[in-house]
Amino acid sequence: MVDRLEQSKALASQARLSVLGWLADPQAHFAHQVTGPPAEIGVCVTLLAARLEMAQPTVSRHLEVLRRAGFVTVRRIGKWAYFQRNEAALADYKAWINDHL
């Protein structure tokens, strides 16, 4: 079952909102990713950390909050983690907000 309170809390951070915004069009923001096309494999956490100007462990915690909320998915390739938006979960949350506000 989806925890709407946890999803709402996940959006209560400018850093997490920025990540979701950038991941909406990863090619526009992370075209320089050399390990593969960001729109296909996701965006590497190191590039997100650089863009946020935060330490990687801090960014990893933000991404884990988004993942637990269902808003991003993670793909592991070797030792690297790549993140993408979960558009279905975001659409579901938006619909729920529209129905309840």
Side-chain angles (χ1 to χ4, degrees):
M1 179 163 182
V2 177
D3 186 337
R4 298 298 187 189
L5 182 58
E6 286 302 314
Q7 286 184 316
S8 297
K9 288 178 183 178
L11 299 178
S13 161
Q14 185 58 53
R16 292 190 290 269
L17 289 173
S18 294
V19 167
L20 287 173
W22 297 328
L23 293 181
D25 188 3
Q27 193 62 36
H29 300 284
F30 301 100
H32 59 287
Q33 179 172 280
V34 297
T35 53
E40 290 178 29
I41 67 168
V43 176
C44 182
V45 68
T46 58
L47 294 179
L48 291 166
R51 181 87 185 227
L52 286 166
E53 297 180 344
M54 293 180 176
Q56 188 170 334
T58 302
V59 174
S60 292
R61 284 192 296 277
H62 282 299
L63 291 166
E64 180 58 19
V65 170
L66 290 171
R67 188 198 62 75
R68 283 195 325 263
F71 295 149
V72 297
T73 59
V74 62
R75 173 186 293 173
R76 300 214 181 268
I77 302 174
K79 64 179 182 172
W80 306 106
Y82 297 87
F83 290 84
Q84 292 180 303
R85 282 171 50 120
N86 181 342
E87 296 298 343
L90 288 163
D92 179 64
Y93 181 78
K94 288 176 190 177
W96 178 79
I97 286 288
N98 285 333
D99 288 345
H100 289 86
L101 290 182

